Amino acid sequence: MRIGLDDRAIKMSGIGIYTHNLFCELKKKNNNVNLYDDNLIVARKRFLTKYVNFCIRIIKAQNCLNKWFKEKDLDLYHVPRNTGVPFFHNIPVVVTIHDIIPHVFHDKYLSNILERVWYELAIRVSIHRSDKILTISNFSKEELIRHYDVDSSKIEIVSLAYNEAFRKIEDTSILNDVKERYRLHKKYILAIGGSEYRKNIQRLINVYLKNFRDDYELIVVGGKWRDIDLAKKYQGENIRFITGVPEEDLIAIYNMADVFVFPSFYEGFGIPVLEGMACGVPVVTSNVSSMPEVGGDATIYFNPYDENDMAEKIKMVLDDKQLREEMISKGLEKVKEYSWEKCARETLKVYEEVLMQ
């Protein structure tokens, strides 16, 4: 089987990491995997990279992809990044649609009518011009069916995974070094997501200030998002936002947290839930979207729109040592269900089914 894999996602984005891990595992099982990249940067930061390069990418894909398929003698092409399926193609195409966040929250994630129209066109091309859709949770599958009336038989669920570098650290010297560099001298509640709207950190801050500020710090990994900067808003409130954290430091920061709180109200999958469990920290998260699927019975859940419920569940975990130990033990077992090898194996099975049709 000769496979082409779209490698145009931003490399350190969630989809970029998924693409990289999928490619590495596919190569172990099938040496004939080819990456396609147009070497264009398409990002929100500047007009050139946001719109000009984006238009060039569309034209280039339609003109070049079929030639590339022929040159590489490909049997199948996989687009792992929601959109980017060429409208015209001469081999089977599989697409991974992780979520439909820009559709559900278009007022937050799409800045003007042009972006909204283009997104809806692009996601519909992914749905209707692909031979099979992969998605990453039953929640995302149901969202595709509900919002776009996709035939359920066209969708296969292939779960994501986490980097196995995320683990319990036994070497206290590593932990102490990170503790000193990041000034983690108090007990702390950990969160990830910065100021991004759907990560719901604002509500967690409200809960923290009312209930936990005297006994714990709140450490938030992530910074400004669009025009929202919670770090600036809450300077001097015993809340710290840290950015640019290398993976090895993040692993130690997870390890030393008293609890990891992930209050997001919309996730296609929610890899941080796995990372927290793998690092041996109790995880408290939302009871909506994909989180209950990912966390199973290893985590405690709250209503992400109810600050009283959030406070109650966090307090319950912080105050009950036996519960914490049970959650840690269950979490370490739960993460064994997920691996990039399993993701690649199940993806290959879908490729084979598509080629047999």
Side-chain angles (χ1 to χ4, degrees):
M1 193 190 313
R2 295 174 295 280
I3 302 161
L5 188 63
D6 186 318
D7 193 33
R8 292 177 291 174
I10 297 170
K11 296 302 181 276
M12 292 313 295
S13 66
I15 294 176
I17 292 169
Y18 160 64
T19 304
H20 171 75
N21 283 287
L22 179 61
F23 171 72
C24 290
E25 292 298 330
L26 286 174
K27 286 287 283 185
K28 294 176 185 176
K29 300 175 183 298
N30 181 339
N31 195 45
N32 205 328
V33 184
N34 303 270
L35 291 174
Y36 175 79
D37 194 348
D38 55 18
N39 299 310
L40 292 167
I41 297 173
V42 178
R44 298 187 62 87
K45 293 182 180 179
R46 294 187 300 132
F47 183 87
L48 173 65
T49 58
K50 184 177 179 181
Y51 292 114
V52 177
N53 281 1
F54 186 63
C55 292
I56 294 171
R57 167 166 286 177
I58 295 166
I59 296 167
K60 193 171 183 180
Q62 292 302 327
N63 288 334
C64 299
L65 267 173
N66 280 317
K67 294 177 184 177
W68 186 73
F69 297 162
K70 187 175 181 180
E71 176 190 322
K72 297 295 184 182
D73 193 24
L74 299 182
D75 296 308
L76 179 143
Y77 184 56
H78 182 182
V79 179
R81 57 186 191 91
N82 297 325
T83 61
V85 173
F87 193 85
F88 300 104
H89 48 83
N90 51 24
I91 60 172
V93 174
V94 173
V95 63
T96 302
I97 301 179
H98 299 254
D99 54 61
I100 51 169
I101 290 166
H103 174 81
V104 177
F105 305 106
H106 59 82
D107 57 326
K108 302 292 184 182
Y109 286 84
L110 300 171
S111 59
N112 56 56
I113 189 66
L114 180 63
E115 288 188 7
R116 293 179 192 179
V117 170
W118 172 252
Y119 174 80
E120 292 301 333
L121 175 62
I123 201 74
R124 283 174 167 81
V125 169
S126 287
I127 291 167
H128 297 294
R129 298 295 295 164
S130 60
D131 295 86
K132 201 74 170 179
I133 298 169
L134 300 182
T135 195
I136 57 181
S137 63
N138 187 65
F139 168 74
S140 283
K141 178 178 179 177
E142 293 301 321
E143 286 287 271
L144 281 166
I145 294 169
R146 182 161 72 95
H147 289 275
Y148 291 102
D149 197 28
V150 184
D151 185 338
S152 63
S153 66
K154 188 174 182 176
I155 308 171
E156 294 288 344
I157 299 169
V158 176
S159 296
L160 301 185
Y162 68 102
N163 187 336
E164 292 182 5
F166 286 84
R167 70 200 188 285
K168 286 192 72 173
I169 297 175
E170 306 296 341
D171 188 340
T172 55
S173 65
I174 294 174
L175 299 177
N176 288 334
D177 177 60
V178 172
K179 183 184 292 185
E180 289 301 318
R181 283 191 285 114
Y182 290 88
R183 298 178 288 110
L184 302 172
H185 300 304
K186 291 183 66 176
K187 296 186 295 184
Y188 63 89
I189 296 166
L190 177 65
I192 284 180
S195 302
E196 186 176 351
Y197 168 73
R198 68 186 169 89
K199 301 299 184 180
N200 204 24
I201 299 299
Q202 177 64 73
R203 280 195 180 89
L204 176 59
I205 288 173
N206 296 343
V207 166
Y208 169 78
L209 292 174
K210 291 177 185 175
N211 300 274
F212 304 107
R213 66 185 301 176
D214 293 336
D215 300 310
Y216 297 89
E217 273 192 309
L218 176 60
I219 304 296
V220 182
V221 178
K224 183 179 178 181
W225 182 76
R226 308 286 171 88
D227 58 348
I228 304 172
D229 190 355
L230 295 176
K232 187 175 181 180
K233 183 177 178 181
Y234 290 100
Q235 282 182 340
E237 295 283 4
N238 214 22
I239 300 167
R240 284 200 287 135
F241 285 73
I242 54 177
T243 60
V245 182
E247 184 178 87
E248 59 270 24
D249 290 355
L250 179 59
I251 294 166
I253 290 168
Y254 267 120
N255 268 260
M256 293 184 288
D258 287 86
V259 64
F260 172 55
V261 184
F262 193 59
S264 175
F265 47 74
Y266 197 100
E267 296 288 328
F269 187 77
I271 289 177
V273 173
L274 294 184
E275 292 174 345
M277 292 191 294
C279 290
V281 59
V283 177
V284 185
T285 187
S286 304
N287 62 2
V288 298
S289 74
S290 62
M291 270 70 79
E293 285 183 66
V294 176
D297 67 351
T299 66
I300 297 293
Y301 300 96
F302 54 74
N303 180 341
Y305 302 99
D306 185 339
E307 293 181 7
N308 291 329
D309 188 34
M310 192 186 300
E312 179 185 327
K313 298 300 170 53
I314 295 171
K315 188 174 189 304
M316 181 171 71
V317 173
L318 288 172
D319 292 349
D320 190 332
K321 183 179 179 182
Q322 183 177 346
L323 174 63
R324 291 167 53 79
E325 291 175 353
E326 289 175 1
M327 291 174 67
I328 290 169
S329 178
K330 286 181 178 179
L332 292 170
E333 284 300 310
K334 181 67 177 174
V335 294
K336 293 177 182 178
E337 298 176 14
Y338 301 93
S339 72
W340 289 116
E341 185 280 328
K342 180 183 177 184
C343 176
R345 177 169 20 100
E346 293 180 355
T347 301
L348 269 175
K349 184 178 178 182
V350 172
Y351 295 167
E352 290 164 358
E353 290 171 357
V354 168
L355 291 174
M356 288 175 64
Q357 290 177 355

